């Protein structure tokens, strides 16, 4: 069973792409106030909280058939997502940065904000499969992931007022490494408990 600390690290890892996008939003909205930042953060947090449920339901449905290899599936998914986050962050011209730097009107629009929030939460769906396979309490996971993402995205908007988007790139790398470490931890815990 995944503990609250691990869920917090998972939430931080999943929130870094929302953080990177929020830094871009903050850079475009130079005079963003705390209530603007909190509104943007809440939208990111909402989508990051609900998308794992889709993957969780799929993982739960498959868990009885794949119980013998569930730890390998969780390991592969988390390492794959983490590795891809690192790969995208290390590109010379990341696609995410190109998407973040939108005209001010588009970045302020509700549909643009929802689209960005949904795009940054797609990886949470795949992580949700791991949560379902590991039979994690999805309500706790969603609340932690949503709350952490809301805080990170709100901070990202405020930070974006004064900083450049490169901060998001380093956050993305750290998040990818954290996801890979969680995958390794799940695999290690299962293999050592099975051996003991």
């Amino acid at each position: 069973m995944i503990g609250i600390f691990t869920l917090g690290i998972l939430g931080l890892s999943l929130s870094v792409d929302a953080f990177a996008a929020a830094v871009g939003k903050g850079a475009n909205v130079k005079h963003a106030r705390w209530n603007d930042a909190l509104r943007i953060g809440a939208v990111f947090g909402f989508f990051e909280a609900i998308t794992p449920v889709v993957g969780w339901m799929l993982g739960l449905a498959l868990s009885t058939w794949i119980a013998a290899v569930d730890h390998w599936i969780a390991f592969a998914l988390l390492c794959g997502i983490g590795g891809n986050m690192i790969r995208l962050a290390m590109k010379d011209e990341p696609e995410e940065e190109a998407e973040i730097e939108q005209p001010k009107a588009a970045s302020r629009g509700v549909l643009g904000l929802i689209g960005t929030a949904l795009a940054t939460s797609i990886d949470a769906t795949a992580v949700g499969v791991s949560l379902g396979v590991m039979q994690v309490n999805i309500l706790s996971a969603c609340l932690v992931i949503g709350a952490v993402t809301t805080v990170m995205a709100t901070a990202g908007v405020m930070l974006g007022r004064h900083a450049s988007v490169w901060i998001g790139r380093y956050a993305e790398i750290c998040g990818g490494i954290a996801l890979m470490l969680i995958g390794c931890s799940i695999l290690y815990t299962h293999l050592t408990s099975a051996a003991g």
Side-chain angles (χ1 to χ4, degrees):
M1 183 61 82
I2 294 181
I4 193 74
F5 177 75
T6 305
L7 283 178
I9 298 297
L10 182 64
L12 280 172
S13 302
L14 290 175
S15 70
V16 294
D17 49 358
F19 172 79
V23 169
K25 296 270 182 209
N28 284 330
V29 186
K30 292 291 184 189
H31 302 292
R33 296 183 305 265
W34 276 105
N35 61 336
D36 299 322
L38 188 57
R39 178 179 54 84
I40 292 169
V43 171
F44 279 108
F46 173 76
F47 282 100
E48 202 76 44
I50 63 168
T51 50
V53 177
V54 177
W56 175 80
M57 289 189 297
L58 178 61
L60 205 56
L62 297 175
S63 64
T64 54
W65 291 303
I66 56 176
V69 292
D70 59 1
H71 50 286
W72 287 104
I73 292 170
F75 169 74
L77 283 172
L78 292 172
C79 285
I81 294 166
N84 190 51
M85 286 172 66
I86 293 169
R87 181 185 65 80
L88 290 174
M90 296 183 78
K91 275 186 173 180
D92 288 336
E93 296 180 52
E95 294 170 19
E96 289 86 347
E97 288 189 16
E99 290 172 9
I100 287 168
E101 296 181 33
Q102 304 167 20
K104 285 186 181 181
S107 69
R108 288 184 188 161
V110 174
L111 291 178
L113 176 60
I114 290 172
T116 305
L118 191 57
T120 59
S121 64
I122 294 299
D123 54 351
T125 306
V127 169
V129 174
S130 297
L131 297 176
V133 166
M134 303 304 292
Q135 299 186 347
V136 171
N137 181 319
I138 193 62
L139 180 60
S140 298
C142 288
L143 287 174
V144 170
I145 291 168
V148 170
T149 301
T150 299
V151 170
M152 290 288 288
T154 301
V157 172
M158 297 309 288
L159 186 61
R161 294 171 53 191
H162 308 291
S164 64
V165 179
W166 65 266
I167 290 173
R169 174 182 285 188
Y170 293 107
E172 197 89 28
I173 291 170
C174 291
I177 291 169
L179 281 181
M180 294 173 81
L181 289 174
I182 291 171
C184 291
S185 172
I186 289 170
L187 183 63
Y188 175 78
T189 301
H190 183 84
L191 293 178
T192 53
S193 66

